[in-house]
Amino acid sequence: MIAEIGLASLWLAAVLALLQLAGGVLAFRTDGTGGENPMGMFIRPAAIVQAFFAACSFVALLYVFAVTDLSVKLVAANSHSAKPMIFKLAGSWGNHEGSMLLWVTVMAFSGALIAALERRLPERMMQATLAAQGFVALGFYAFLLFSSNPFERLEVPAPEGMGLNPLLQDIGLALHPPVLYFGYVGLSVAFSFAVGALLTRQVTPEFARVSRPWVLAAWVCLTMGITAGSYWAYYELGWGGWWFWDPVENASLMPWLAATALLHSISVLAARDALRAWTILLGVIAFSMSMLGTFLVRSGILTSVHAFAVDPERGMFILVLLGIYIGGALLLFGLRAGAVAEGERFAATSREGALVVNNVLLSATLGIVLLGTLYPLLTEAFDVRVSVGPNYFNPVSAIFVLPMLVVMAIGPLLRWRRDRLERVMKPLALLTVIGAVVLAIVALVADIAFLPLVGLALAAILAVASFIPLRRRKLTRVPLATWGMVVAHFGIAVALFGMASESAFSSERLAALEVGETAQAGPWRVTLNGVDPVAGPNWTALEGRLAVRAEDASRTSEPIMMAPQSRTFWAPVQQTTESALATRWNGQLYAVLGNQLDDGRWQLRLWWKPFVTFIWYGGLLIAFGGVLSIIGRVRKDLTRRSVRSRLASRRADERALEAAA
Amino acid sequence: MSALKAKHQRLVLGLIALLALVGAGLLAAYALRNQADYFYLPGQMLADPPRPDRDVRLGGMVEEGSLATQPDGVTLAFVVTDKDRARVPVRFSGIVPDLFVEGSGVVAEGRLRSDGVFEASNLLAKHDENYIPRELEDMTKAQAEQIVAETRAADPGT
């Protein structure tokens, strides 16, 4: 019954999205003749009610997963009665259909939010924006209802569920997709605003200010999603790496790159009324990338082109949707871009100039990642099988990322509109010296590869450069948004330091140990005390007991205990390696337990990774900077609005007085 | 900035952006031709061996009876074979994936040494019943069994 209610709610939500779109189209078309179409007044309520029904539908899905209703096909295929409750719930979005439902639910919610609260923009533009939002949502509803129904029943209920892939039974991964989806959907709002602005030909700083919190929020969510996903891959896969240039990872990186560019260009538009058409184009690209990402991951095209052929209906649907939205938006842009008047001008050496360079380089990096991700699909069409990995991505993206980081150090020091490099000569000289000193010291004491070497020097430069915008300013009066920029840029420096240090200084040890034997990994001595069987709620495991001491510590000192496991799940039957991590301020010791050899020894793989944790600390700092910016911007907008309304009411009072007199 | 230049600022900016993107595209196309890791079946690898400095992938079945652990306890030697019984010896140091056994499908990432031994840096095996490395998808279970059977027939000593 609950499943049917969920399905019915989904249909109702789809109808309301249609109403939202139709209302927008009618209101938009008749507006030219003067009178306002009555359909226009339905748009905002439709968006709010649509969110209600989408939420009902999603709650219904959560419910059938929570009670493990095995007559529902999706539950039978992805859940199991003997699974912890949190993973039962997480299982509802750990699959194609459920994740698409989560997508539209979040999207409907953000639509409802702007419909209920956003009153700053001209009503016509809001209607166009909400209509665009409804149009996008409609495509997703159609996709769910016609080819990915999450509430489909089985004719005969399954006796037991198939279970959730054990790799996904992890709290980090349970929460990681929703966070990424919030990011994707936030970009959909920015996209709808861009379409609304194009349709009404009002690409104004006001439009930029209204959509900026959404871009920022989306960007924060993407940053956190990528950071969490990277850490998950790091400890759960047991390969010791933190980024594999896997298509699934790239699918989240590409929208992030586009969102980063959009974030910066929208700031230029808001502050200086320049880069109008470019900002709109980036809005379209950012959302295209998030749709492409979702579909590439969820359709299974990337794991295998053959999966596409297994379910041609779903594959075609995906292609058509992508074509309609991306093609349509680009067509609209092509038609209307000429009508967008050129914005304010600026000199090449100016804050705007630096941001343009940043934008172009980010877009180029995006192009590099996109081509590398799609290339295997292209060659497979010609029956040549390739995979594209770090050999391609690392050096080629570095060509664009390294200059971008240099510009990132200088850009915030420049003034808007027009500046001279001579004015910032002193800080530039300081940064150059810092970079050169770090480069020289590292090159002398350690023999490391070119990219990590440059990375370490750039990290030092950026760490200092990110705080220079604060010099000679009273710290208590610095706007919150500026603090956000400082923290986020510093976060980039921290993450870059972690990446460079990890790839330059990691030491690995592969050993076969008898119980009681000791192996050395980096500055640590690791003793295998024993291997015991342990059991969890839906798995059994062999657990190694490792005692870790620093190499200069005495043998009697208190050791750090580590317990890597080799787990066997029984629903579905699968083995996973659970790595064990010992975190110190200056790095992480990473241990993986392998197989037992015929002579009784145990395989053990150990890494000492200096400062690897800084990668994720950096990611968190970047996201935190974004949060500071959002708070700062929204607070400023609220004060501005209350001042304006107070002015308006005073003016009204004066007028009333005059009329009375 | 001169008046003429200022008038066409948008055009100039657009051109610069376009140029950078086209440059990135060309660079990507060039790099992809040279840096993509090609996939080989054992037969292809024997017929047309890749250069020793190129990362490639080798996919096939682990030959029955070929799997041996070296005395150090962490280095494995085995032979990857295909349905034409081409055989490529492989070395791998590390912890093997959970479902890596003789007779199973495997994709090895690494380089072919000039002495004809494939030095694997990573092994991808079947993760679970639903997931097969995409390169092995064309080999159905029946084919795999046939390979194993043929290998046995060809090498009765094991």
Side-chain angles (χ1 to χ4, degrees):
Chain A
M1 184 60 199
I2 297 292
E4 279 67 37
I5 292 178
L7 186 59
S9 304
L10 196 59
W11 273 104
L12 285 172
V15 171
L16 282 156
L18 184 63
L19 177 66
Q20 199 176 321
L21 171 64
V25 171
L26 288 175
F28 191 76
R29 283 185 52 186
T30 48
D31 204 43
T33 60
E36 207 171 285
N37 191 298
M39 283 300 277
M41 61 186 266
F42 288 122
I43 301 176
R44 285 184 192 248
I48 295 168
V49 181
Q50 181 204 332
F52 171 75
F53 282 118
C56 284
S57 182
F58 189 67
V59 169
L61 186 71
L62 285 179
Y63 177 82
V64 294
F65 267 88
V67 301
T68 319
D69 182 347
L70 291 168
S71 66
V72 175
K73 193 175 164 194
L74 193 66
V75 178
N78 293 290
S79 196
H80 191 279
S81 54
K83 207 168 62 167
M85 179 53 85
I86 175 78
F87 296 127
K88 281 186 186 171
L89 293 180
S92 64
W93 60 74
N95 55 73
H96 170 79
E97 290 85 351
S99 70
M100 292 323 275
L101 182 57
L102 177 65
W103 223 109
V104 290
T105 306
V106 179
M107 183 155 172
F109 253 95
S110 42
L113 207 59
I114 48 176
L117 298 178
E118 192 54 70
R119 306 264 169 208
R120 277 173 287 177
L121 291 176
E123 191 57 21
R124 223 169 105 78
M125 184 168 157
M126 277 308 295
Q127 289 175 345
T129 302
L130 284 171
Q133 187 87 356
F135 184 49
V136 175
L138 202 56
F140 282 86
Y141 285 124
F143 184 51
L144 273 167
L145 290 169
F146 297 129
S147 80
S148 316
N149 177 7
F151 297 106
E152 194 176 335
R153 293 273 188 184
L154 291 170
E155 276 175 31
V156 184
E160 184 50 280
M162 308 260 280
L164 177 68
N165 185 336
L167 280 174
L168 304 183
Q169 294 192 29
D170 177 274
I171 190 69
L173 206 69
L175 299 179
H176 156 77
V179 174
L180 268 185
Y181 278 17
F182 286 131
Y184 288 167
V185 170
L187 290 180
S188 87
V189 177
F191 170 82
S192 302
F193 273 123
V195 171
L198 263 187
L199 282 174
T200 53
R201 296 194 174 85
Q202 280 173 318
V203 186
T204 56
E206 189 64 7
F207 144 77
R209 275 194 281 272
V210 167
S211 41
R212 179 161 55 187
W214 289 96
V215 178
L216 267 169
W219 180 78
V220 166
C221 289
L222 286 175
T223 309
M224 290 202 297
I226 293 174
T227 309
S230 156
Y231 194 65
W232 171 82
Y234 171 74
Y235 77 78
E236 182 75 25
L237 291 181
W239 294 350
W242 53 275
W243 190 263
F244 299 98
W245 293 109
D246 184 88
V248 177
E249 293 171 321
N250 294 347
S252 65
L253 179 65
M254 291 188 289
W256 185 85
L257 288 169
T260 311
L262 174 61
L263 176 67
H264 289 92
S265 85
I266 216 167
S267 293
V268 175
L269 181 56
R272 290 277 310 133
D273 197 11
L275 300 185
R276 292 175 177 171
W278 178 248
T279 303
I280 295 287
L281 182 60
L282 275 178
V284 172
I285 290 177
F287 181 56
S288 308
M289 284 304 139
S290 54
M291 278 220 307
L292 190 71
T294 317
F295 281 144
L296 287 181
V297 173
R298 284 298 164 194
S299 65
I301 299 176
L302 279 177
T303 351
S304 165
V305 183
H306 305 264
F308 200 73
V310 172
D311 195 347
E313 188 196 349
R314 202 177 271 180
M316 275 319 286
F317 218 119
I318 289 168
L319 264 188
V320 170
L321 275 187
L322 273 174
I324 290 176
Y325 292 138
I326 301 179
L330 287 178
L331 184 70
L332 181 67
F333 178 79
L335 292 176
R336 285 290 168 91
V340 177
E342 187 175 341
E344 296 285 327
R345 304 230 171 79
F346 51 85
T349 43
S350 64
R351 182 83 67 89
E352 291 99 319
L355 285 170
V356 166
V357 176
N358 143 304
N359 263 251
V360 170
L361 291 174
L362 275 171
S363 310
T365 314
L366 172 61
I368 296 289
V369 177
L370 180 65
L371 288 173
T373 309
L374 296 181
Y375 187 70
L377 294 181
L378 187 74
T379 60
E380 189 144 338
F382 299 100
D383 222 21
V384 176
R385 288 185 170 180
V386 302
S387 62
V388 180
N391 283 341
Y392 162 78
F393 286 109
N394 284 349
V396 182
S397 59
I399 292 177
F400 296 96
V401 171
L402 294 181
M404 187 186 74
L405 293 174
V406 173
V407 175
M408 190 183 123
I410 305 170
L413 310 180
L414 297 174
R415 288 191 180 137
W416 290 112
R417 263 195 74 191
R418 179 182 298 268
D419 203 347
R420 289 169 302 115
L421 272 181
E422 296 89 74
R423 199 182 61 81
V424 291
M425 226 43 201
K426 250 195 234 162
L428 282 191
L430 172 75
L431 293 177
T432 315
V433 170
I434 291 174
V437 168
V438 172
L439 204 66
I441 293 178
V442 177
L444 278 180
V445 298
D447 179 29
I448 61 175
F450 175 73
L451 278 182
L453 181 67
V454 177
L456 285 173
L458 269 175
I461 293 179
L462 276 178
V464 176
S466 56
F467 287 101
I468 295 184
L470 295 178
R471 95 201 138 125
R472 290 199 218 118
R473 290 174 77 159
K474 210 167 162 204
L475 290 189
T476 49
R477 311 232 6 211
V478 171
L480 212 48
T482 309
W483 276 112
M485 176 191 82
V486 169
V487 171
H489 282 188
F490 181 65
I492 299 261
V494 171
L496 182 65
F497 171 67
M499 295 170 194
S501 168
E502 194 269 347
S503 75
F505 305 121
S506 283
S507 48
E508 182 187 350
R509 181 67 205 278
L510 200 58
L513 297 185
E514 280 169 39
V515 172
E517 231 180 324
T518 300
Q520 176 103 17
W524 303 95
R525 283 201 324 260
V526 181
T527 309
L528 179 65
N529 281 355
V531 177
D532 303 316
V534 288
N538 52 351
W539 48 265
T540 55
L542 286 170
E543 184 177 88
R545 279 181 290 119
L546 306 179
V548 182
R549 291 184 179 84
E551 61 183 339
D552 47 4
S554 71
R555 279 202 78 83
T556 53
S557 64
E558 192 61 31
I560 310 161
M561 298 305 295
M562 295 175 77
Q565 294 179 342
S566 170
R567 274 189 198 170
T568 306
F569 286 78
W570 61 72
V573 175
Q574 183 175 341
Q575 286 198 321
T576 66
T577 48
E578 299 286 315
S579 55
L581 297 170
T583 308
R584 289 288 162 270
W585 70 272
N586 60 346
Q588 255 177 348
L589 185 66
Y590 187 115
V592 179
L593 183 70
N595 298 326
Q596 186 171 29
L597 301 172
D598 295 338
D599 58 9
R601 288 183 298 167
W602 290 90
Q603 288 181 328
L604 205 57
R605 192 167 194 180
L606 304 163
W607 282 277
W608 167 242
K609 294 176 170 292
F611 300 109
V612 66
T613 43
F614 280 52
I615 298 173
W616 306 291
Y617 295 152
L620 292 179
L621 274 176
I622 298 170
F624 179 61
V627 171
L628 284 183
S629 268
I630 298 178
I631 297 174
R633 300 287 184 206
V634 169
R635 214 166 57 179
K636 209 166 157 190
D637 274 349
L638 289 180
T639 9
R640 194 181 294 155
R641 228 187 295 184
S642 76
V643 166
R644 206 175 289 165
S645 69
R646 243 180 294 154
L647 276 179
S649 75
R650 191 185 302 169
R651 234 173 272 141
D653 287 350
E654 282 168 6
R655 238 174 289 143
L657 277 177
E658 274 167 32
Chain B
M1 196 175 269
S2 74
L4 182 75
K5 231 173 149 190
K7 201 173 170 186
H8 296 293
Q9 183 170 43
R10 178 145 86 166
L11 193 67
V12 173
L13 283 181
L15 279 179
I16 291 174
L18 199 65
L19 220 64
L21 288 181
V22 170
L26 290 176
L27 184 71
Y30 171 78
L32 279 169
R33 289 181 68 89
N34 292 297
Q35 300 297 343
D37 308 343
Y38 285 83
F39 176 79
Y40 287 82
L41 290 168
Q44 296 168 332
M45 185 163 278
L46 292 181
D48 177 22
R51 291 205 317 267
D53 59 346
R54 285 229 34 177
D55 284 317
V56 294
R57 290 181 162 202
L58 169 68
M61 313 304 288
V62 182
E63 193 179 69
E64 289 280 341
S66 72
L67 190 59
T69 310
Q70 309 292 301
D72 69 357
V74 289
T75 304
L76 288 178
F78 56 92
V79 171
V80 171
T81 177
D82 62 16
K83 48 181 176 266
D84 307 320
R85 270 180 251 151
R87 303 168 81 249
V88 175
V90 179
R91 294 276 174 287
F92 172 70
S93 292
I95 290 175
V96 297
D98 304 308
L99 286 162
F100 178 85
V101 286
E102 289 182 351
S104 73
V106 70
V107 174
E109 299 176 336
R111 295 175 177 190
L112 183 68
R113 299 198 310 224
S114 42
D115 63 357
V117 175
F118 190 83
E119 185 86 48
S121 54
N122 197 13
L123 296 183
L124 311 170
K126 241 171 74 163
H127 252 308
D128 62 48
E129 298 306 313
N130 301 321
Y131 175 77
I132 308 174
R134 58 187 275 199
E135 287 89 348
L136 293 186
E137 239 166 34
D138 288 347
M139 285 195 211
T140 59
K141 200 159 180 252
Q143 274 176 310
E145 275 161 9
Q146 189 193 347
I147 294 167
V148 174
E150 283 174 2
T151 325
R152 282 209 185 105
D155 194 357
T158 52

